[in-house]
Amino acid sequence: MTSLLNLLIGYGCKITVYSYSNHGECPWGDAERTIFSKQFPGVALVLDRRSPVLRYWGKAKKKLSGVFPDWIPRLLGAHLPALTPNYDRLRKQYPDALFIVNYANGLLELNGIDPDCCVIETHDIDFLQFSKRFGHALTSRRIAEKFRSETGLLQSALSLLAIARTEAGMFRLFFPHKPVFFLPKYSVASHRNLDALQGGGDIDLLFIGSRNPFNVDGIIHFIDEQRELLQRFSLAIAGEVSMNPEVVEKASAIGTIRLLGFVDDLDALYRRAKIVIAPVDGTGLKIKVVEALAAGKPVFGSRHSLEGLPPGSERCAFLIDAGQISAILSDAASLNAASEAALAYSQSQASTGDIAEFREFLDTQRVVDWPSTVR
């Protein structure tokens, strides 16, 4: 979202970010608001409190949308008065705003919205995530309902943003007349210098992850599978995943593993690393892979974490293989070649996807130098 906001700011859009101050996963306390205002001084932040009534209404809409997908337009348009005064005021102030909404389910969390003015930033396929995370068969009734709800929500939107080429292809197949933009990263090619990105290199392998269960399972599996490799090379784990009790217990038994906790300055952390690993499952393209390549770091990942990349990453993104990891870490020339390939790939046209087409779309929607709202 930070990258998307920076892109829209660069395009000259007038932006308002709307959310709930008591959001279940990302609440907006005083510290978060201060950070936001410093990072985005020209962007308005509008917050409401999500009451229990609104929360249960959102859950009811989600259930109904899966059972009766034809009701989705009416469910999305339904508005409960007096529960979101700031949102209501925002919609009156900017009646022609374009909404960019996180995830399809984000439409159901808003207190009334016309999906024809919404762009959905998908990130992941929710019904597949749910199936993998909780072990439900794709043919189960629960997953079928989630599929019906999610595809109905995606179908109702004006346009879709996908960060993985596999998902962009699926959306174009499902919705052939809808604008779908493949955007693995929200930026044009940067002109970073490899020397400026390289640092002391005191970290051989780096993994950065949130507390997402796929990150936890992935790094634990990597530690179990690569014990011999970790006898020779150091591994640093950063982010909330490093504070997970299972990860802490697993890492404590191996002296080459360091747990760094939450790290504010990722650029500085990447400069210390030689290789980044992404041993995770799930859906969508992993942002950690895109960020690592942009920092000039070769990536070793699971098949899933790499398959969403645009073509051309063969010289800098590899399937996890202990022998190849060892060979690159043991040879400075090989490591330097893979690092140069990562930076070149990140700066290539292929890695930016449909960024130019997305800009043209925003122009047609009259949101450049025009009010727009990002939720």
Side-chain angles (χ1 to χ4, degrees):
M1 283 306 301
T2 297
S3 180
L4 175 57
L5 285 174
N6 284 327
L7 179 73
L8 295 175
I9 291 170
Y11 284 167
C13 299
K14 182 176 181 180
I15 306 166
T16 298
V17 171
Y18 175 75
S19 187
Y20 295 114
S21 59
N22 58 337
H23 191 285
E25 294 183 1
C26 306
W28 290 88
D30 292 338
E32 288 79 14
R33 299 182 202 193
T34 300
I35 292 172
F36 182 88
S37 63
K38 289 181 179 178
Q39 190 166 2
F40 303 105
V43 177
L45 177 63
V46 175
L47 302 170
D48 280 311
R49 287 192 62 81
R50 181 159 51 182
S51 67
V53 172
L54 195 61
R55 185 178 296 109
Y56 287 122
W57 173 229
K59 291 181 178 181
K61 288 192 292 183
K62 185 178 295 187
K63 179 67 175 180
L64 290 170
S65 66
V67 178
F68 305 105
D70 289 344
W71 291 9
I72 285 178
R74 283 178 288 170
L75 290 171
L76 294 179
H79 174 262
L80 300 181
L83 294 181
T84 51
N86 293 328
Y87 176 67
D88 297 347
R89 192 178 306 113
L90 184 66
R91 292 185 67 191
K92 289 181 180 178
Q93 185 177 2
Y94 299 120
D96 299 319
L98 179 72
F99 283 72
I100 300 180
V101 182
N102 280 135
Y103 304 100
N105 287 333
L107 291 175
L108 297 170
E109 296 178 9
L110 291 169
N111 188 18
I113 188 65
D114 178 2
D116 286 338
C117 67
C118 294
V119 175
I120 298 177
E121 192 204 29
T122 55
H123 275 11
D124 298 301
I125 304 296
D126 185 59
F127 76 90
L128 283 178
Q129 284 270 36
F130 197 88
S131 172
K132 290 185 176 185
R133 183 170 179 177
F134 297 104
H136 295 290
L138 285 175
T139 52
S140 67
R141 178 178 297 177
R142 192 165 189 182
I143 299 302
E145 285 185 5
K146 284 187 171 293
F147 169 79
R148 285 157 63 90
S149 173
E150 188 169 11
T151 52
L153 292 168
L154 294 171
Q155 181 174 279
S156 70
L158 172 65
S159 176
L160 306 175
L161 308 182
I163 64 173
R165 59 187 172 93
T166 48
E167 292 174 5
M170 185 181 74
F171 295 151
R172 287 165 178 158
L173 180 65
F174 284 2
F175 316 114
H177 305 298
K178 189 179 300 297
V180 174
F181 302 100
F182 167 47
L183 299 170
K185 62 178 184 179
Y186 293 111
S187 63
V188 295
S190 63
H191 298 284
R192 293 180 173 181
N193 182 282
L194 186 63
D195 293 334
L197 294 172
Q198 292 180 330
D202 63 308
I203 297 172
D204 294 322
L205 304 169
L206 172 65
F207 177 71
I208 302 174
S210 67
R211 59 186 173 182
N212 186 301
F214 291 119
N215 290 327
V216 174
D217 293 343
I219 193 60
I220 287 177
H221 181 74
F222 180 86
I223 293 172
D224 287 338
E225 291 289 311
Q226 305 297 338
R227 287 184 175 273
E228 185 176 342
L229 181 72
L230 294 175
Q231 296 301 316
R232 300 179 55 200
F233 301 104
S234 64
L235 167 64
I237 305 174
E240 291 186 346
V241 68
S242 67
M243 296 179 274
N244 178 275
E246 293 180 75
V247 175
V248 172
E249 181 181 1
K250 187 72 65 174
S252 64
I254 301 178
T256 57
I257 299 179
R258 284 177 282 174
L259 302 177
L260 305 181
F262 186 84
V263 177
D264 287 316
D265 192 347
L266 288 182
D267 286 339
L269 182 59
Y270 279 126
R271 284 195 293 270
R272 296 171 56 194
K274 297 176 183 176
I275 283 175
V276 172
I277 59 170
V280 293
D281 196 4
T283 71
L285 176 63
K286 299 307 171 191
I287 298 299
K288 59 176 68 69
V289 174
V290 175
E291 289 179 341
L293 295 174
K297 303 300 172 182
V299 174
F300 282 83
S302 63
R303 185 174 301 278
H304 162 73
S305 66
L306 302 182
E307 66 185 3
L309 285 171
S313 62
E314 296 79 12
R315 295 174 56 238
C316 56
F318 316 97
L319 290 175
I320 291 174
D321 177 85
Q324 190 175 8
I325 292 174
S326 179
I328 288 184
L329 287 175
S330 301
D331 181 49
S334 297
L335 178 60
N336 189 60
S339 299
E340 290 179 348
L343 195 60
Y345 171 74
S346 179
Q347 294 176 349
S348 69
Q349 187 64 35
S351 70
T352 60
D354 302 323
I355 195 75
E357 292 80 1
F358 181 54
R359 169 62 190 265
E360 292 176 3
F361 168 80
L362 293 177
D363 286 338
T364 64
Q365 298 301 311
R366 301 176 65 199
V367 298
V368 175
D369 290 325
W370 197 260
S372 69
T373 301
V374 179
R375 182 193 168 275

